[in-house]
Amino acid sequence: MTNTADKRRTRALRIHAEQALFGEVRGGHALRETSGLRGLAAELAPRLDLPDTAPSGVEWSPFLSGFPHDDYYVLARTFRDPQATRAGMVLSHALIVSLNDLVSASDLRPLLARLMARPHAPLTIAPLELEFENDIPPAAADLPAAAAALVQRPAGPAVRLGHQDFDDLVVSLWARLWPAMRRNFAFRLSFGPADLVEIPTPALVCTPRSLEARWRGYKRLDTVTPVPGSLVAAALTDHEESTLLLSFADEIGAESNGFSELSLLEQAYRLTTDVPATIDSTIAAVRLVQRLSPEPTRGTSGKADLIRRLLHQLETATTDDVLTLRNLDMQGFDHAQAVWKQLATWTGDNAFPATQDMSFTTMIQDATQPSKSTRLWREAVLGGLRKAACAPGPGFARAVWRWVAADPDLLRPLWTAAEPEGELEGRLVETAPRTLPLGAAQHMIALAREGRFLRLHGVAASTAFPPCEAARLQLAIQANPFADGLELALRNATPEQIVRCSIDIGDPRMIDLAGAYASRTLTLLTNVDFSTQTAQALWAASLNYDLNAWRGPANPEAAFQSALIDLIDGRPVHDGLIGALSRTPLADLSGFSRRSELWAKLSGPDHDALIRATVQGWLEKAATGLPPFHLEPLLQTAVLSSPELDGQLGRLEAGAVVGIVTVLPAFEEDRFRRWLRTVVSSGQRIPAATWEAIGHLALDRHWRHTAGDLTVMLRYGREDIRPALRACLPIISLLDRWRHGLSAVSSAERWKALEDLAAELYPAGPNDRELWERAGGRAADLDQTGTGRTRWHQALQRIEHGSRKPRLKSLLDEMRNDYPANQSLSFFASNQKFTNER
């Protein structure tokens, strides 16, 4: 059989057709002319006449007919012959095509177009070679009614009133028939049921409307209502549905060559494509397939699918369904032995629903009594039960709990039969009910204790005992440090109850479990009194799971500081709490009043972490304003050695930095100078008050190099620095004060500044490198005793008091010749008011 989906894909067809003309011959109806197959064509003459005498006044011409004959199919159009010598004669034009060729053709229109359209004989009767695309014609308006009538029972022709547009109905119906059905499909005009005598009987006839009364009780298109959801009718009107039904027929080996079998095929199709509700419906499908395809060697793939469907159906069968398998006969189907194997699988993989508990009990009893079941069925059921104990599904484990609750004495024999292992324990744990009668729970607890199934013991204890009692029972049977099954013993407890139990019991395993809960729900710690080591251990345990648990107590800072006070005063503190909290924001002890007493009580990573956090907190607070508190020496050292200090200072406003440095007496001048150079080069605008504070800081700490840096900055145009220089005038040289106008400078101070410069440049005295003589002075006038500075003081006094050998300007000129780049000399030399004084 050819699938209708294949018809849609078929390319252009080439069909050979012989023509034949039938009409009046010597007063009777006979073959007049044919292009070939004369013997066959002659046999067709009776069937290409009117089926009966046309009733008077009835309009019937022309009409289309088609029918198979031997290995050919005949298409003909018949007219009333106006040129006949007597009334009632017809003229028929027929095309005779190979049946095998035509059943592959979906579109009859190219062939019908070659039939005569008027009651005039064709000019030539010759063989035809036709090539045409095998398209699917559009559906005729009355196709749904025709399809519904054709597949309805009882068997009989579908009757269409009127011959007009009958061709369209035939064309659209033919396109949607399966190839095997086309082989037997016949249609023509009929004047009444009495003329339907040929074989095959026409499945579709048209009849004059005036003869409607003759067809009472027959399936008339105008009276047939399509059955909603009928796949058979849909298959004759919809191409895709036809594909589905035909594919199914191919799979099961059914050869549907008549409309009467379509209903059975639809039933089988529905039973196999729609998931059967029961095993009974699956068996019904098996029986239908056997009827449609009785040969065991046909349709093996479809039958194998049906077996697989039955096996799949068995997976969800009820116990009552399984019992019906004892009467199942599957002759003619390969692989029937798989059903018994599947029965074992069904039992082993069964979910054991509670609604079937009584039935399963009966089934198990029957499986253990040979007189009530066949050997194959019994072996399958018992094997399946053994498998169920090891199966990954939860059904068996759930059933065990239900059976134990109903009859505790059933547990031990069932336990022995199941040969429980770790996997079964896991499934029992996963499926355990919330509560059990005390007797049932005690049975399970005893068996779990004997087999050292700790998790099962815990979950069983939870079903009948209060949380703390269940926890104590569980902890009592465990010698190892791991609390296997403890959480299961507490599975009915609220998180609040778990926290309270952990403090009451005090077992480290219990505390660890409660800590895990508290880390996920911080409010569990809100009302805990952390003055006890047990409570502190709980907090530490929660911190081990999530450091955010530091937020848990109602007042975390007070709780932590209380523990620190205990440590300072020598009271016990849970080991690990301080270390855990030292990695949280609570590690910043800026607000802890007894901080200085604490450092000696700590060592190692805890000590370093708290110092580091407190330093960081101090820096962050100081960045927002004045330093928040006085730093004890240990913290001062830690601040100064903090790798983050310089980076922090680099990000702060200058005023904040000065405030921080002010409270750090050990802050090095070089470190401050580096910061100062950086901030000045960055272009940061520094207020006058901040410059003044910088000057005071330099003066207080005698940072002369810093003052010198400030002087250099002023010299290079930073006029905004003057408030700093004025604030540290005592450590500014007289020359810089005079040169930059930082303060009033007396005449004596000017000469003193020159003396200082000269002593710096010529430390041996005025005659160093014969300077005095080169300037026009006499060496004999100089005091030859004392230090270089003393001799300079005496020499400059001579000039100041009026000596003109040398003159001051000459002396400065010579000094500039020796030190042309010295800006101080340039300042003196360019200060005419000073040089002109002497």
Side-chain angles (χ1 to χ4, degrees), residues 560 581-590 599 609-611 613-614:
F560 183 33
L581 290 174
S582 70
R583 294 177 285 135
T584 72
L586 294 179
D588 178 6
L589 300 180
S590 299
W599 306 128
L610 292 173
I611 289 286
T614 304

Side-chain angles (χ1 to χ4, degrees), residues 189-494:
L189 173 75
S190 175
F191 294 128
D195 64 32
L196 299 176
V197 294
E198 70 269 35
I199 297 177
T201 303
L204 177 67
V205 298
C206 63
T207 191
R209 290 185 179 277
S210 59
L211 303 181
E212 174 182 349
R214 296 186 179 184
W215 297 98
R216 288 198 180 105
Y218 282 82
K219 298 180 292 185
R220 290 195 348 234
L221 272 57
D222 62 325
T223 61
V224 169
T225 300
V227 178
S230 171
L231 277 179
V232 176
L236 299 178
T237 57
D238 179 82
H239 185 268
E240 295 301 327
E241 290 292 342
S242 177
T243 300
L244 295 174
L245 210 53
L246 179 58
S247 297
F248 172 69
D250 285 340
E251 291 170 1
I252 65 172
E255 190 71 19
S256 299
N257 45 20
F259 292 103
S260 61
E261 295 180 358
L262 287 179
S263 295
L264 297 179
L265 185 62
E266 178 179 350
Q267 292 180 45
Y269 174 76
R270 288 192 179 279
L271 288 170
T272 55
T273 56
D274 298 340
V275 178
T278 65
I279 287 181
D280 287 341
S281 61
T282 306
I283 294 174
V286 171
R287 291 171 178 164
L288 285 170
V289 169
Q290 287 177 333
R291 176 174 174 180
L292 291 166
S293 179
E295 176 57 47
T297 59
R298 291 182 60 86
T300 54
S301 64
K303 291 174 183 176
D305 288 342
L306 187 55
I307 290 294
R308 285 191 290 270
R309 187 174 300 276
L310 177 59
L311 297 176
H312 177 72
Q313 181 74 23
L314 184 57
E315 295 176 1
T316 56
T318 66
T319 51
D320 292 335
D321 294 331
V322 168
L323 292 175
T324 64
L325 293 176
R326 290 176 296 185
N327 298 321
L328 181 62
D329 181 6
M330 300 187 67
Q331 275 191 326
F333 285 80
D334 291 337
H335 312 298
Q337 69 276 12
V339 172
W340 299 116
K341 181 178 179 181
Q342 183 62 24
L343 175 57
T345 301
W346 172 87
T347 307
D349 296 343
N350 200 287
F352 300 98
T355 56
Q356 298 184 37
D357 279 350
M358 293 184 62
S359 297
F360 265 108
T361 301
T362 302
M363 179 177 173
I364 294 170
Q365 292 172 350
D366 289 348
T368 59
Q369 299 180 36
S371 62
K372 293 186 177 181
S373 59
T374 64
R375 179 180 60 84
L376 292 177
W377 184 87
R378 183 171 64 255
E379 290 177 355
V381 171
L382 293 177
L385 287 174
R386 287 191 295 272
K387 178 184 176 183
C390 302
F396 182 77
R398 287 196 182 107
V400 168
W401 287 111
R402 295 195 304 270
W403 299 336
V404 170
D407 183 3
D409 293 332
L410 180 64
L411 177 60
R412 190 166 292 276
L414 181 62
W415 195 259
T416 302
E419 300 177 357
E421 297 178 352
E423 292 183 358
L424 178 58
E425 179 197 17
R427 288 188 290 276
L428 287 169
V429 167
E430 292 172 0
T431 59
R434 287 293 171 184
T435 61
L436 274 180
L438 180 61
Q442 289 174 330
H443 275 70
M444 186 65 79
I445 289 172
L447 283 173
R449 186 169 56 247
E450 293 171 11
R452 299 300 298 168
F453 294 121
L454 299 181
R455 298 175 66 237
L456 182 59
H457 182 280
V459 78
S462 74
T463 63
F465 294 96
C468 285
E469 187 175 350
R472 287 190 172 93
L473 285 172
Q474 189 66 22
L475 292 169
I477 69 166
Q478 297 184 225
N480 59 44
F482 303 104
D484 294 337
L486 178 59
E487 189 167 7
L488 292 168
L490 291 163
R491 67 195 183 106
N492 289 335
T494 65

Side-chain angles (χ1 to χ4, degrees), residues 637-706:
T637 301
V639 169
L640 290 172
S641 61
S642 171
E644 300 176 2
L645 177 59
D646 289 330
Q648 183 91 329
L649 297 180
R651 293 187 293 271
L652 297 178
E653 294 293 330
V657 174
V658 174
I660 291 174
V661 175
T662 299
V663 299
L664 295 172
F667 200 94
E668 296 178 352
E669 183 182 15
D670 286 345
R671 195 173 190 177
F672 184 81
R673 292 174 68 198
R674 287 194 298 272
W675 169 81
L676 184 60
R677 287 194 294 270
T678 300
V679 74
V680 169
S681 63
S682 70
Q684 181 184 145
R685 183 182 178 280
I686 302 176
T690 301
W691 280 120
E692 186 176 353
I694 292 174
H696 285 304
L697 179 64
L699 178 63
D700 292 343
R701 300 196 180 175
H702 304 286
W703 283 353
R704 294 185 179 276
H705 292 297
T706 301

Side-chain angles (χ1 to χ4, degrees), residues 29 46 48-61 63 78 80 86-90 188-197 206-208 210-211 214-215:
H29 182 80
L48 294 178
D49 195 1
L50 282 179
D52 198 356
T53 302
S56 176
V58 171
E59 180 59 39
W60 56 266
S61 177
F63 69 86
T78 301
R80 178 185 291 110
R86 64 182 180 86
M89 299 300 291
V90 299
R188 64 172 173 82
L189 173 75
S190 175
F191 294 128
D195 64 32
L196 299 176
V197 294
C206 63
T207 191
S210 59
L211 303 181
R214 296 186 179 184
W215 297 98

Side-chain angles (χ1 to χ4, degrees), residues 8-93:
R8 185 187 296 276
R9 295 191 295 267
T10 303
R11 295 183 178 180
L13 294 177
R14 183 179 181 86
I15 291 181
H16 174 85
E18 298 290 347
Q19 297 189 68
L21 183 65
F22 301 85
E24 183 181 14
V25 177
R26 293 190 294 275
H29 182 80
L31 173 67
R32 289 171 53 177
E33 188 176 358
T34 182
S35 62
L37 303 174
R38 176 165 293 275
L40 173 66
E43 295 174 3
L44 300 177
R47 298 193 63 174
L48 294 178
D49 195 1
L50 282 179
D52 198 356
T53 302
S56 176
V58 171
E59 180 59 39
W60 56 266
S61 177
F63 69 86
L64 182 70
S65 61
F67 54 89
H69 186 83
D70 293 341
D71 294 331
Y72 296 92
Y73 198 91
V74 180
L75 289 169
R77 182 170 286 123
T78 301
F79 291 85
R80 178 185 291 110
D81 189 354
Q83 299 176 359
T85 59
R86 64 182 180 86
M89 299 300 291
V90 299
L91 185 64
S92 296
H93 181 205

